[in-house]
């Protein structure tokens, strides 16, 4: 039986006592790439925030497996500190949460930049980077503490097709080579089909999960019209 890294149980989440999602339950298998998908406004990012511990559920719970020792988060725009260099952005969580020496921190920063394909940008500032580079630096920072679980919020949003494909390849590399469990929010079909092992589809009309499974299998056998419309861009 596949071990669950994350278990969401009977969870209702929202803001100011207004529910965005109601009574949802699902598991995320350890070592998988799990995608939260659905149309704009369905609550994808809100769900990710609750799973990452950034939003307290109104009801229900999110439970992490005992093997999950820490998490990393990549926000949509990268969320880099503009007044800090790339090196300083990635070093920040290491400086805050470890007692590593300056030399060890520098080595880790170099390793993470190499992992995301940006080995020579440590001295640059966010304003000097393209959108795709900012996302990769944000990803390097999210990986700084070697998280067991990595949350990605629309990692390919705003990227051209080539950069988006490169981002998908990087996500798969992190998952396969490091064994990191990845939870990704996306409405980008190319990315979803490229990386997802498992997924849920959120329905904004019902505020619930309308489907759960592998997106490629959902496309072959759509569970309902909403999912079919989403996965085919309304062309079937």
């Amino acid at each position: 039986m596949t071990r669950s890294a994350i278990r969401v149980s009977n969870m209702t989440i929202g803001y100011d006592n207004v529910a965005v999602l109601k009574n949802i339950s699902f598991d995320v298998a350890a070592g998988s790439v799990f995608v939260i998908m659905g149309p704009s406004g369905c609550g994808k990012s809100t769900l990710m925030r609750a799973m990452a511990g950034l939003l307290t559920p109104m009801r229900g719970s999110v439970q992490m497996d005992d093997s999950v020792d820490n998490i990393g988060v990549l926000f949509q725009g990268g969320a880099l500190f503009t007044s800090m260099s790339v090196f300083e952005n990635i070093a920040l969580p290491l400086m805050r949460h470890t007692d590593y020496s300056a030399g060890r921190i520098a080595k880790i920063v170099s390793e993470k930049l190499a992992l995301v394909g940006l080995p020579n940008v440590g001295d640059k500032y966010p304003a000097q980077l393209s959108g795709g580079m900012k996302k990769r630096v944000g990803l390097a920072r999210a990986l700084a503490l070697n998280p067991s679980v990595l949350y990605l919020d629309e990692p390919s949003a705003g990227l051209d097709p080539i950069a988006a494909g490169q981002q998908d390849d990087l996500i798969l590399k992190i998952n396969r080579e490091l064994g990191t469990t990845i939870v990704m929010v996306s409405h980008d079909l190319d990315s979803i089909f490229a990386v997802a092992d498992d997924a849920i589809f959120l329905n904004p009309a019902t505020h619930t999960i309308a489907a759960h499974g592998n997106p490629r299998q959902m496309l072959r056998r759509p569970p309902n019209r909403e999912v079919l419309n989403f996965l085919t861009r309304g062309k079937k």
Side-chain angles (χ1 to χ4, degrees), residues 49-67:
R49 288 175 58 82
M51 293 175 69
L54 303 174
L55 176 67
T56 301
M58 297 164 68
R59 287 187 294 277
S61 64
V62 178
Q63 296 174 305
M64 296 283 186
D65 184 76
D66 291 342
S67 64

Side-chain angles (χ1 to χ4, degrees), residues 15 45-55 71-81 89 131-143 150-159 167 183-185:
Y15 305 96
S45 294
T46 298
L47 176 55
M48 193 200 81
R49 288 175 58 82
M51 293 175 69
L54 303 174
L55 176 67
I71 66 171
V73 181
L74 172 64
F75 297 99
Q76 279 195 38
L80 301 177
F81 294 101
N89 266 280
M133 292 171 73
K134 288 177 184 177
K135 284 182 180 287
R136 286 182 173 240
V137 171
L139 184 55
R141 184 178 62 187
L143 292 167
L150 180 63
Y151 291 99
L152 308 175
D153 193 358
E154 298 283 6
S156 61
L159 302 182
Q167 190 83 327
V183 178
M184 184 175 100
V185 167

Side-chain angles (χ1 to χ4, degrees), residues 43-215:
K44 299 187 296 295
S45 294
T46 298
L47 176 55
M48 193 200 81
R49 288 175 58 82
M51 293 175 69
L54 303 174
L55 176 67
T56 301
M58 297 164 68
R59 287 187 294 277
S61 64
V62 178
Q63 296 174 305
M64 296 283 186
D65 184 76
D66 291 342
S67 64
V68 177
D69 50 9
N70 65 70
I71 66 171
V73 181
L74 172 64
F75 297 99
Q76 279 195 38
L80 301 177
F81 294 101
T82 58
S83 62
M84 301 172 69
S85 70
V86 165
F87 179 94
E88 291 168 336
N89 266 280
I90 300 170
L92 183 61
L94 294 161
M95 295 173 66
R96 289 284 182 89
H97 300 291
T98 75
D99 58 359
Y100 295 164
S101 67
R104 185 175 181 184
I105 289 174
K107 183 174 184 293
I108 292 171
V109 171
S110 295
E111 290 172 349
K112 301 310 178 187
L113 282 173
L115 177 64
V116 301
L118 296 173
N120 301 310
V121 301
D123 59 345
K124 294 186 180 297
Y125 284 79
Q128 299 173 286
L129 306 177
S130 68
M133 292 171 73
K134 288 177 184 177
K135 284 182 180 287
R136 286 182 173 240
V137 171
L139 184 55
R141 184 178 62 187
L143 292 167
L145 294 171
N146 295 322
S148 305
V149 175
L150 180 63
Y151 291 99
L152 308 175
D153 193 358
E154 298 283 6
S156 61
L159 302 182
D160 64 68
I162 294 175
Q166 292 171 340
Q167 190 83 327
D168 294 339
D169 291 343
L170 180 55
I171 290 168
L172 289 174
K173 179 180 179 180
I174 292 166
N175 172 249
R176 291 168 179 170
E177 294 186 6
L178 304 182
T180 309
T181 301
I182 296 176
V183 178
M184 184 175 100
V185 167
S186 184
H187 64 264
D188 183 328
L189 292 180
D190 291 336
S191 291
I192 290 169
F193 289 131
V195 306
D197 297 311
D198 195 14
I200 54 173
F201 179 87
L202 303 181
N203 187 327
T206 61
H207 307 288
T208 58
I209 296 171
H212 184 178
N214 183 285

Side-chain angles (χ1 to χ4, degrees), residues 220-231:
R220 287 193 291 269
R221 294 186 177 181
N224 53 59
R225 172 57 62 176
E226 290 79 14
V227 172
L228 176 62
N229 285 341
F230 179 82
L231 294 178

